[in-house]
Amino acid sequence: MAMVAALWRHPIKAHGREAVDRITLREGETMPGDRQWAVAHELSEADGAEWAPCASFTRAAKVPALMAITCQSHANGQNLTLSHPELDDLVFDPDRDGSAFLAWVRPLMPANRAQAARLVRSQSQGMTDSDYPTLSLFGLAAHDAVAEVLQQDISVHRWRGNLHLSGLQPWEEFEWIGKTVRIGAAELKVEERIERCMATAANPETGIRDADTLGVLNGTFGHQNFGVYAVVTKTGEISVGDAVEVI
């Protein structure tokens, strides 16, 4: 039986991950707190007023060191703590302390890349890579299949998914496209596969590229996809350990 093995969100797009035990999903919305902020680079006009493509923001596909950032939300609902193995922790309010964040992340930015310019809050939907409000989910068996070909013990956080699912066959989630799944009290319609980028080549512990994930996806499995996007169609709470049922 398929089950939710873990729930993760990414409060600042491409800048940290955070585990949650349970969360309420709302119809037509992204996971609460997921990609709520994004970091516009100096060549971008994105201001958070509407969805913008990932090329508008600093991201791990171009700056692999970002993959090693972790995040913790504070009980006050305002502050975040960001951690990185090469930096001191930063405790800040993303809506008020954007300059402190930019100073903190600057040492991770390569000189030959467009630099982080401003931290923007999404005013419409979370700044996911899809242009409509989605969550990402994948089966841990697909991750294991990639790791086996790589002959490396790689982290599941390379895929930056929201829902990690156990109990599936490798790539079984691809068969759910167009179908609805029930998880806890919520329901989600699975929409499409997720095409992957160079961010997945970077180790989430070190921020260093050390695995040819795209080469394995293309060369062994015949595609560059990992996981699927889903849209919340029924509001409800989901938790780690919930069963996943295709309906």
Coordinates of all heavy atoms in Angstrom, one line a residue, residues 10 14 73 80 95 117 119 121 142 150 157 172 199 203 205:
H10 N 9.4 24.2 0.9 CA 10.6 25.0 0.6 C 10.2 26.5 0.7 O 9.7 27.1 -0.3 CB 11.1 24.7 -0.8 CG 11.3 23.2 -1.0 ND1 10.2 22.4 -1.2 CD2 12.4 22.4 -0.9 CE1 10.7 21.1 -1.3 NE2 12.0 21.1 -1.1
A14 N 14.2 27.5 -3.9 CA 15.6 27.1 -4.1 C 16.6 27.5 -3.0 O 17.8 27.3 -3.1 CB 16.2 27.7 -5.4
S73 N 11.0 27.1 10.2 CA 10.1 28.2 10.5 C 9.9 28.3 12.0 O 10.0 27.3 12.7 CB 8.7 27.9 9.8 OG 8.8 27.8 8.4
L80 N 12.4 33.0 10.0 CA 13.0 31.7 9.5 C 14.4 31.6 9.9 O 15.1 32.7 10.1 CB 13.0 31.7 7.9 CG 11.6 31.7 7.2 CD1 11.9 31.8 5.7 CD2 10.8 30.6 7.5
D95 N 10.0 39.2 5.2 CA 9.3 40.4 4.8 C 9.9 41.7 5.2 O 9.6 42.7 4.7 CB 7.8 40.3 5.3 CG 7.0 39.2 4.6 OD1 7.2 39.0 3.4 OD2 6.1 38.6 5.3
A117 N 19.2 39.9 -6.1 CA 18.9 41.3 -6.0 C 17.9 41.7 -5.0 O 18.0 42.7 -4.3 CB 18.5 41.9 -7.4
L119 N 14.5 39.8 -2.4 CA 13.6 38.8 -1.9 C 12.2 39.2 -2.1 O 11.8 40.2 -1.6 CB 13.9 38.5 -0.5 CG 13.3 37.3 0.2 CD1 13.7 36.0 -0.5 CD2 13.7 37.2 1.7
R121 N 7.9 38.3 -2.1 CA 6.8 37.4 -1.6 C 5.8 37.2 -2.7 O 5.4 38.2 -3.3 CB 6.2 38.0 -0.4 CG 5.0 37.2 0.1 CD 4.2 38.0 1.2 NE 4.6 37.7 2.5 CZ 4.2 36.7 3.3 NH1 3.2 35.9 2.8 NH2 4.6 36.5 4.5
A142 N 11.3 5.1 -7.3 CA 12.0 5.7 -8.4 C 13.3 6.3 -8.0 O 14.3 6.2 -8.8 CB 11.1 6.8 -9.0
L150 N 23.3 4.8 -10.6 CA 24.4 5.7 -10.2 C 25.5 4.9 -9.4 O 26.6 5.3 -9.4 CB 23.9 6.9 -9.4 CG 23.3 8.0 -10.2 CD1 22.6 9.0 -9.3 CD2 24.3 8.8 -11.1
H157 N 16.6 14.5 -1.3 CA 16.3 16.0 -1.3 C 16.8 16.6 -2.6 O 16.6 17.8 -2.9 CB 17.0 16.7 -0.1 CG 16.4 16.2 1.2 ND1 15.0 16.2 1.4 CD2 17.0 15.7 2.3 CE1 14.8 15.8 2.6 NE2 15.9 15.4 3.1
E172 N 5.7 4.3 -10.9 CA 4.3 4.1 -10.9 C 3.5 5.4 -10.9 O 2.3 5.4 -11.4 CB 3.9 3.2 -9.6 CG 2.4 2.8 -9.6 CD 2.1 1.9 -8.3 OE1 3.1 1.4 -7.8 OE2 0.9 1.8 -8.0
A199 N 19.9 21.1 -11.1 CA 19.9 21.2 -9.7 C 20.0 19.8 -9.0 O 20.7 19.7 -8.0 CB 18.6 21.8 -9.2
N203 N 24.8 17.7 -4.5 CA 24.6 17.0 -3.2 C 23.9 18.0 -2.2 O 24.5 19.0 -1.9 CB 26.0 16.6 -2.7 CG 25.9 15.7 -1.5 OD1 25.0 15.9 -0.6 ND2 26.7 14.7 -1.4
E205 N 23.8 17.9 0.9 CA 24.6 18.0 2.1 C 25.8 19.0 1.9 O 26.2 19.7 2.8 CB 25.2 16.7 2.5 CG 24.1 15.6 2.8 CD 23.2 16.0 3.9 OE1 23.6 16.7 4.9 OE2 22.0 15.8 3.8

